Amino acid sequence: MKQPPVPVKPWPESDPAVDALVTEVIGRVADKWTMLVLEVLADHSELRFTQISRLVPDVSQKMLTQTLRQMERDGLVVRTVFPVVPPRVEYRLTDLGLSLGAAFCGVWRWAEENLRRIEAARAEFDARQKR
Amino acid sequence: MKQPPVPVKPWPESDPAVDALVTEVIGRVADKWTMLVLEVLADHSELRFTQISRLVPDVSQKMLTQTLRQMERDGLVVRTVFPVVPPRVEYRLTDLGLSLGAAFCGVWRWAEENLRRIEAARAEFDARQKR
DNA sequence: CAGCATCCCTTTTGATACTG
DNA sequence: CAGTATCAAAAGGGATGCTG
């Protein structure tokens, strides 16, 4: 049984150049803060800076700024500055960002569904290490 | 239009304790090397240490070891040591790991499909920064 | 409010050498 | 082969002060 029952990768990508690019993109997008920011923006449609910082636990303003800039650069997010005082800046997902959110949907569901299994696996692993 | 056309998060999780755990799990799993190792293991069913290091570009042996240990601890991977010399160690996904691979499938497809869009967005962003 | 800049410390990562 | 150990470099992250 060489092949898993469900194909986990849609098509076996063989072009090394494309593969390298995909790897690079995955490396960028598969980031803790990126995913968490993506999640809250996917849920709320548009948010201000401080709202995001409240919704994403433990993110520093430095990392949040950095993450949002990166996402903006990658075309995942649009940043709208309202010329008012005090300043008002809103973030919302682009279509591209929305599609990434949809792609990550399965991962969030997986995480929720398998919390217990993971905790159990860790406990067992740690117990085995002690012996 | 508050809600995006496609629900990106399956159900609006409100329990703060569960949410924190999900966040923690996402933070662990949404890791560059974890995703890349997951991908090659999903493709090959079982692999030896050096095979993985060849298939995952630019991973150091230290990071690979660390990632594999983490994945083993989380119950995503089984590590089989054959008591021969030279040593032979094989890695394969568990059912849990396989299900995570299936969940990530959409992300890989997304990355492949949107390479160009991301590159274009970056180019445009960088050009705008210069002005 | 939404940041950028700076300083400073901690964590992560990478390169190298060594071992059962 | 499949690691572990070690050290140096880089990235991450907090705190504070300052702007438009």
Side-chain angles (χ1 to χ4, degrees):
Chain A
M1 183 165 75
K2 273 280 182 178
Q3 290 307 317
V6 176
V8 288
K9 204 186 170 189
W11 51 81
E13 189 59 64
S14 303
D15 183 346
V18 172
D19 227 29
L21 281 172
V22 170
T23 295
E24 196 263 350
V25 170
I26 294 281
R28 250 174 219 277
V29 151
D31 168 70
K32 180 184 175 180
W33 299 127
T34 300
M35 281 199 62
L36 295 175
V37 169
L38 185 70
E39 182 172 6
V40 301
L41 280 176
D43 271 351
H44 293 83
S45 199
E46 84 265 336
L47 286 173
R48 300 179 61 176
F49 187 87
T50 33
Q51 290 180 308
I52 302 177
S53 70
R54 269 194 295 270
L55 288 169
V56 177
D58 298 329
V59 68
S60 66
Q61 104 287 31
K62 184 183 180 177
M63 279 300 98
L64 184 54
T65 300
Q66 215 171 95
T67 302
L68 286 169
R69 284 291 172 288
Q70 181 82 63
M71 291 175 79
E72 190 192 356
R73 179 169 182 262
D74 288 346
L76 302 177
V77 148
V78 279
R79 176 173 174 269
T80 311
V81 183
F82 296 85
V84 296
V85 45
R88 175 186 186 86
V89 179
E90 280 187 359
Y91 294 90
R92 71 163 58 222
L93 294 182
T94 62
D95 288 348
L96 189 62
L98 217 50
S99 68
L100 178 57
F104 264 124
C105 176
V107 180
W108 291 323
R109 230 183 28 236
W110 180 91
E112 285 180 347
E113 285 169 1
N114 293 286
L115 279 183
R116 297 313 171 101
R117 241 179 292 254
I118 294 169
E119 286 178 340
R122 286 182 190 170
E124 203 199 327
F125 182 89
D126 293 348
R128 201 177 308 167
Q129 292 312 87
K130 286 205 169 174
R131 289 189 278 121
Chain B
M1 181 167 76
K2 273 283 180 177
Q3 289 307 319
V6 177
V8 289
K9 202 187 171 188
W11 50 81
E13 189 58 64
S14 304
D15 182 345
V18 172
D19 226 28
L21 281 172
V22 170
T23 295
E24 195 263 350
V25 169
I26 293 283
R28 249 171 221 277
V29 150
D31 169 71
K32 181 185 175 181
W33 300 128
T34 301
M35 280 198 61
L36 295 175
V37 168
L38 185 69
E39 181 172 7
V40 300
L41 280 177
D43 270 352
H44 293 83
S45 199
E46 84 265 336
L47 286 173
R48 301 179 59 175
F49 186 88
T50 33
Q51 290 180 307
I52 301 177
S53 69
R54 268 193 297 269
L55 289 168
V56 177
D58 297 330
V59 68
S60 66
Q61 98 288 35
K62 181 182 180 176
M63 279 300 96
L64 184 54
T65 300
Q66 214 170 97
T67 301
L68 286 169
R69 284 289 176 288
Q70 181 82 65
M71 292 175 77
E72 190 192 356
R73 179 169 183 261
D74 288 347
L76 303 176
V77 148
V78 278
R79 176 173 173 269
T80 311
V81 183
F82 297 84
V84 295
V85 46
R88 177 188 186 86
V89 179
E90 281 187 358
Y91 293 90
R92 71 163 60 222
L93 293 182
T94 60
D95 288 348
L96 188 62
L98 217 50
S99 67
L100 178 58
F104 266 124
C105 176
V107 180
W108 292 323
R109 229 183 30 235
W110 180 91
E112 284 180 348
E113 286 169 0
N114 293 287
L115 280 182
R116 298 310 170 103
R117 241 179 294 255
I118 294 169
E119 287 178 341
R122 286 181 190 171
E124 203 198 328
F125 182 89
D126 293 347
R128 201 177 306 167
Q129 293 312 87
K130 285 205 170 175
R131 288 190 278 122

mmCIF file of all heavy atoms in Angstrom, chain B residues 75-98:
data_model
loop_
_atom_site.group_PDB
_atom_site.id
_atom_site.type_symbol
_atom_site.label_atom_id
_atom_site.label_comp_id
_atom_site.label_asym_id
_atom_site.label_seq_id
_atom_site.Cartn_x
_atom_site.Cartn_y
_atom_site.Cartn_z
ATOM 1 N N GLY B 75 2.102 13.148 17.573
ATOM 2 C CA GLY B 75 1.352 12.006 17.030
ATOM 3 C C GLY B 75 1.111 12.071 15.537
ATOM 4 O O GLY B 75 0.213 11.396 15.017
ATOM 5 N N LEU B 76 1.902 12.874 14.828
ATOM 6 C CA LEU B 76 1.719 13.008 13.387
ATOM 7 C C LEU B 76 2.538 11.985 12.619
ATOM 8 O O LEU B 76 2.227 11.663 11.474
ATOM 9 C CB LEU B 76 2.121 14.415 12.935
ATOM 10 C CG LEU B 76 1.401 15.584 13.597
ATOM 11 C CD1 LEU B 76 1.972 16.905 13.118
ATOM 12 C CD2 LEU B 76 -0.098 15.508 13.318
ATOM 13 N N VAL B 77 3.595 11.504 13.258
ATOM 14 C CA VAL B 77 4.583 10.677 12.564
ATOM 15 C C VAL B 77 4.981 9.517 13.458
ATOM 16 O O VAL B 77 5.028 9.663 14.676
ATOM 17 C CB VAL B 77 5.818 11.570 12.224
ATOM 18 C CG1 VAL B 77 7.100 10.781 12.251
ATOM 19 C CG2 VAL B 77 5.628 12.255 10.875
ATOM 20 N N VAL B 78 5.229 8.379 12.856
ATOM 21 C CA VAL B 78 5.847 7.291 13.607
ATOM 22 C C VAL B 78 7.273 7.100 13.126
ATOM 23 O O VAL B 78 7.564 7.202 11.934
ATOM 24 C CB VAL B 78 5.088 5.952 13.475
ATOM 25 C CG1 VAL B 78 3.916 5.898 14.413
ATOM 26 C CG2 VAL B 78 4.688 5.689 12.047
ATOM 27 N N ARG B 79 8.146 6.855 14.076
ATOM 28 C CA ARG B 79 9.572 6.702 13.802
ATOM 29 C C ARG B 79 9.943 5.263 14.098
ATOM 30 O O ARG B 79 9.765 4.786 15.229
ATOM 31 C CB ARG B 79 10.355 7.667 14.698
ATOM 32 C CG ARG B 79 11.852 7.570 14.594
ATOM 33 C CD ARG B 79 12.484 8.710 15.425
ATOM 34 N NE ARG B 79 13.915 8.586 15.494
ATOM 35 C CZ ARG B 79 14.572 7.937 16.447
ATOM 36 N NH1 ARG B 79 13.902 7.323 17.405
ATOM 37 N NH2 ARG B 79 15.887 7.893 16.436
ATOM 38 N N THR B 80 10.433 4.585 13.082
ATOM 39 C CA THR B 80 10.777 3.181 13.249
ATOM 40 C C THR B 80 12.280 3.001 13.087
ATOM 41 O O THR B 80 12.843 3.329 12.037
ATOM 42 C CB THR B 80 10.059 2.315 12.196
ATOM 43 O OG1 THR B 80 8.673 2.659 12.185
ATOM 44 C CG2 THR B 80 10.228 0.850 12.509
ATOM 45 N N VAL B 81 12.911 2.470 14.120
ATOM 46 C CA VAL B 81 14.353 2.238 14.091
ATOM 47 C C VAL B 81 14.616 0.766 13.827
ATOM 48 O O VAL B 81 14.145 -0.095 14.572
ATOM 49 C CB VAL B 81 15.004 2.642 15.432
ATOM 50 C CG1 VAL B 81 16.509 2.469 15.354
ATOM 51 C CG2 VAL B 81 14.631 4.065 15.803
ATOM 52 N N PHE B 82 15.360 0.484 12.781
ATOM 53 C CA PHE B 82 15.751 -0.885 12.499
ATOM 54 C C PHE B 82 17.128 -1.120 13.106
ATOM 55 O O PHE B 82 18.074 -0.383 12.796
ATOM 56 C CB PHE B 82 15.803 -1.131 10.992
ATOM 57 C CG PHE B 82 14.464 -0.984 10.319
ATOM 58 C CD1 PHE B 82 13.985 0.254 9.933
ATOM 59 C CD2 PHE B 82 13.667 -2.106 10.095
ATOM 60 C CE1 PHE B 82 12.747 0.386 9.320
ATOM 61 C CE2 PHE B 82 12.429 -1.989 9.484
ATOM 62 C CZ PHE B 82 11.965 -0.739 9.097
ATOM 63 N N PRO B 83 17.223 -2.149 13.949
ATOM 64 C CA PRO B 83 18.486 -2.374 14.662
ATOM 65 C C PRO B 83 19.536 -3.023 13.774
ATOM 66 O O PRO B 83 19.937 -4.155 13.989
ATOM 67 C CB PRO B 83 18.075 -3.290 15.811
ATOM 68 C CG PRO B 83 16.891 -4.032 15.293
ATOM 69 C CD PRO B 83 16.206 -3.120 14.309
ATOM 70 N N VAL B 84 19.965 -2.281 12.765
ATOM 71 C CA VAL B 84 20.996 -2.778 11.853
ATOM 72 C C VAL B 84 22.128 -1.771 11.813
ATOM 73 O O VAL B 84 21.990 -0.639 12.281
ATOM 74 C CB VAL B 84 20.429 -2.963 10.429
ATOM 75 C CG1 VAL B 84 19.363 -4.039 10.422
ATOM 76 C CG2 VAL B 84 19.897 -1.657 9.888
ATOM 77 N N VAL B 85 23.228 -2.193 11.218
ATOM 78 C CA VAL B 85 24.327 -1.269 11.066
ATOM 79 C C VAL B 85 24.768 -1.274 9.613
ATOM 80 O O VAL B 85 25.029 -2.339 9.062
ATOM 81 C CB VAL B 85 25.507 -1.593 12.024
ATOM 82 C CG1 VAL B 85 25.848 -3.066 12.026
ATOM 83 C CG2 VAL B 85 26.712 -0.730 11.730
ATOM 84 N N PRO B 86 24.747 -0.120 8.971
ATOM 85 C CA PRO B 86 24.453 1.208 9.516
ATOM 86 C C PRO B 86 22.982 1.364 9.858
ATOM 87 O O PRO B 86 22.150 0.670 9.275
ATOM 88 C CB PRO B 86 24.838 2.150 8.365
ATOM 89 C CG PRO B 86 24.696 1.319 7.144
ATOM 90 C CD PRO B 86 25.069 -0.071 7.545
ATOM 91 N N PRO B 87 22.668 2.255 10.801
ATOM 92 C CA PRO B 87 21.292 2.405 11.266
ATOM 93 C C PRO B 87 20.333 2.787 10.154
ATOM 94 O O PRO B 87 20.701 3.480 9.206
ATOM 95 C CB PRO B 87 21.392 3.523 12.306
ATOM 96 C CG PRO B 87 22.700 4.164 12.097
ATOM 97 C CD PRO B 87 23.586 3.157 11.496
ATOM 98 N N ARG B 88 19.119 2.314 10.267
ATOM 99 C CA ARG B 88 18.066 2.634 9.313
ATOM 100 C C ARG B 88 16.843 3.076 10.089
ATOM 101 O O ARG B 88 16.317 2.326 10.913
ATOM 102 C CB ARG B 88 17.748 1.387 8.481
ATOM 103 C CG ARG B 88 16.611 1.573 7.493
ATOM 104 C CD ARG B 88 16.232 0.246 6.844
ATOM 105 N NE ARG B 88 15.227 0.469 5.799
ATOM 106 C CZ ARG B 88 15.525 0.787 4.543
ATOM 107 N NH1 ARG B 88 16.777 0.926 4.181
ATOM 108 N NH2 ARG B 88 14.566 0.999 3.658
ATOM 109 N N VAL B 89 16.425 4.305 9.830
ATOM 110 C CA VAL B 89 15.268 4.858 10.534
ATOM 111 C C VAL B 89 14.262 5.309 9.504
ATOM 112 O O VAL B 89 14.601 6.077 8.600
ATOM 113 C CB VAL B 89 15.676 6.043 11.436
ATOM 114 C CG1 VAL B 89 14.449 6.615 12.149
ATOM 115 C CG2 VAL B 89 16.716 5.611 12.442
ATOM 116 N N GLU B 90 13.047 4.841 9.652
ATOM 117 C CA GLU B 90 12.007 5.220 8.709
ATOM 118 C C GLU B 90 10.923 6.033 9.377
ATOM 119 O O GLU B 90 10.542 5.773 10.516
ATOM 120 C CB GLU B 90 11.389 3.974 8.054
ATOM 121 C CG GLU B 90 12.253 3.423 6.941
ATOM 122 C CD GLU B 90 11.547 2.296 6.197
ATOM 123 O OE1 GLU B 90 10.415 1.940 6.575
ATOM 124 O OE2 GLU B 90 12.145 1.786 5.251
ATOM 125 N N TYR B 91 10.440 6.999 8.619
ATOM 126 C CA TYR B 91 9.364 7.852 9.111
ATOM 127 C C TYR B 91 8.151 7.666 8.216
ATOM 128 O O TYR B 91 8.276 7.604 6.993
ATOM 129 C CB TYR B 91 9.796 9.320 9.091
ATOM 130 C CG TYR B 91 10.900 9.638 10.061
ATOM 131 C CD1 TYR B 91 12.234 9.534 9.683
ATOM 132 C CD2 TYR B 91 10.618 10.022 11.364
ATOM 133 C CE1 TYR B 91 13.257 9.819 10.575
ATOM 134 C CE2 TYR B 91 11.621 10.303 12.263
ATOM 135 C CZ TYR B 91 12.945 10.194 11.860
ATOM 136 O OH TYR B 91 13.942 10.467 12.744
ATOM 137 N N ARG B 92 6.994 7.625 8.861
ATOM 138 C CA ARG B 92 5.755 7.602 8.082
ATOM 139 C C ARG B 92 4.668 8.336 8.858
ATOM 140 O O ARG B 92 4.708 8.432 10.081
ATOM 141 C CB ARG B 92 5.324 6.173 7.758
ATOM 142 C CG ARG B 92 4.809 5.372 8.933
ATOM 143 C CD ARG B 92 4.031 4.147 8.439
ATOM 144 N NE ARG B 92 4.852 3.260 7.633
ATOM 145 C CZ ARG B 92 4.424 2.673 6.518
ATOM 146 N NH1 ARG B 92 3.174 2.897 6.113
ATOM 147 N NH2 ARG B 92 5.197 1.875 5.835
ATOM 148 N N LEU B 93 3.702 8.840 8.118
ATOM 149 C CA LEU B 93 2.616 9.553 8.771
ATOM 150 C C LEU B 93 1.675 8.594 9.482
ATOM 151 O O LEU B 93 1.423 7.493 8.995
ATOM 152 C CB LEU B 93 1.829 10.374 7.740
ATOM 153 C CG LEU B 93 2.564 11.541 7.084
ATOM 154 C CD1 LEU B 93 1.633 12.278 6.140
ATOM 155 C CD2 LEU B 93 3.135 12.494 8.123
ATOM 156 N N THR B 94 1.180 9.023 10.623
ATOM 157 C CA THR B 94 0.101 8.302 11.281
ATOM 158 C C THR B 94 -1.213 8.693 10.601
ATOM 159 O O THR B 94 -1.232 9.531 9.702
ATOM 160 C CB THR B 94 0.007 8.712 12.756
ATOM 161 O OG1 THR B 94 -0.256 10.117 12.811
ATOM 162 C CG2 THR B 94 1.294 8.408 13.482
ATOM 163 N N ASP B 95 -2.288 8.113 11.054
ATOM 164 C CA ASP B 95 -3.596 8.521 10.524
ATOM 165 C C ASP B 95 -3.848 10.000 10.818
ATOM 166 O O ASP B 95 -4.392 10.730 9.985
ATOM 167 C CB ASP B 95 -4.715 7.675 11.151
ATOM 168 C CG ASP B 95 -4.696 6.245 10.622
ATOM 169 O OD1 ASP B 95 -3.978 5.998 9.633
ATOM 170 O OD2 ASP B 95 -5.396 5.394 11.195
ATOM 171 N N LEU B 96 -3.403 10.410 12.010
ATOM 172 C CA LEU B 96 -3.569 11.817 12.383
ATOM 173 C C LEU B 96 -2.758 12.721 11.440
ATOM 174 O O LEU B 96 -3.258 13.742 10.948
ATOM 175 C CB LEU B 96 -3.117 12.019 13.834
ATOM 176 C CG LEU B 96 -3.401 13.375 14.464
ATOM 177 C CD1 LEU B 96 -4.882 13.665 14.542
ATOM 178 C CD2 LEU B 96 -2.770 13.469 15.859
ATOM 179 N N GLY B 97 -1.527 12.327 11.195
ATOM 180 C CA GLY B 97 -0.692 13.092 10.278
ATOM 181 C C GLY B 97 -1.255 13.120 8.872
ATOM 182 O O GLY B 97 -1.223 14.148 8.184
ATOM 183 N N LEU B 98 -1.791 11.997 8.480
ATOM 184 C CA LEU B 98 -2.397 11.901 7.146
ATOM 185 C C LEU B 98 -3.599 12.836 7.029
ATOM 186 O O LEU B 98 -3.802 13.492 5.998
ATOM 187 C CB LEU B 98 -2.832 10.450 6.918
ATOM 188 C CG LEU B 98 -2.671 9.868 5.518
ATOM 189 C CD1 LEU B 98 -1.278 10.101 4.974
ATOM 190 C CD2 LEU B 98 -2.990 8.380 5.545
#
